[in-house]
Amino acid sequence: MREFEAGFDQGVDSFLQVYPQYIEQVRPELNGLFREEDYPAAEKLRTKFGLKLEVLPIPTGADFRVQMSAEEQARASREIDANVRESLIRGTEDLWKQLREVVTHMVDRLNEPESRFHGSLVTNVLDLVDILPRLNVNGDADLNRFADQIKQRLCNYSAQDLKKHDLLRVTTAADAANIVAQMDDVLRDREAAGGPTADDIFTRMSAYMEAPAAA
């Protein structure tokens, strides 16, 4: 495992060493579409890579806990529960981040009428909000509510429609900016309140696992 971790770290280092060269390579290719802010600094990018070993239960007769003392089993159980909680919380946070980023990108592009609008400006948003409820294993009601609101308010027109019609573009940009502001308000309120408890998380997870699959 240590050798694998060392190899992973080495791979990250190797990529970051040539990362500036990749940026310079695409600069002339994108011509006037190149934006420096689209490429984070190498040190910031480094924080996006990580490797963590987690101990999870093995549901078989050869379960490793059979050979443990009661104290060791209790410790392993606590670690497993903590890892599951952390994974669920981290997964929900990632969904919020993805949803906010894709809507913020739409705001930025729509506020630049001279920029080129690709079809993905709308389809990327639609693809995410369509799949998000299935990824939301925590059953976060606010997250599902925003996904539905975004689909209803921002995904009714194609990128070409938004490019052609100034009024449509401006009103959609305003709607998108308003949604981002509402999301930020919810996230700030949650941070101030301390977020959901571990019991809340496991209750929602159990309800998700017991719910019948969508047709």
Side-chain angles (χ1 to χ4, degrees), residues 48-117:
K48 303 300 182 182
F49 296 91
L51 180 65
K52 180 180 179 182
L53 175 64
E54 295 183 355
V55 180
L56 297 176
I58 304 175
T60 68
D63 194 322
F64 70 93
R65 290 171 294 178
V66 172
Q67 306 300 323
M68 288 183 171
S69 66
E71 181 179 351
E72 290 173 329
Q73 289 185 37
R75 178 181 57 78
S77 179
R78 288 194 299 271
E79 290 180 357
I80 290 169
D81 287 347
N83 286 335
V84 171
R85 291 189 189 98
E86 182 182 347
S87 296
L88 290 173
I89 292 173
R90 189 168 58 243
T92 301
E93 289 175 346
D94 286 345
L95 289 177
W96 276 101
K97 180 179 179 182
Q98 290 179 48
L99 191 60
R100 188 187 184 284
E101 285 181 348
V102 75
V103 177
T104 299
H105 177 69
M106 173 176 274
V107 174
D108 293 341
R109 302 303 287 175
L110 291 178
N111 282 331
E112 298 177 2
E114 300 305 318
S115 64
R116 294 177 60 185
F117 289 5

Side-chain angles (χ1 to χ4, degrees), residues 113-130:
E114 300 305 318
S115 64
R116 294 177 60 185
F117 289 5
H118 297 286
S120 59
L121 180 70
V122 176
T123 58
N124 283 349
V125 178
L126 184 60
D127 289 344
L128 179 58
V129 297
D130 274 345

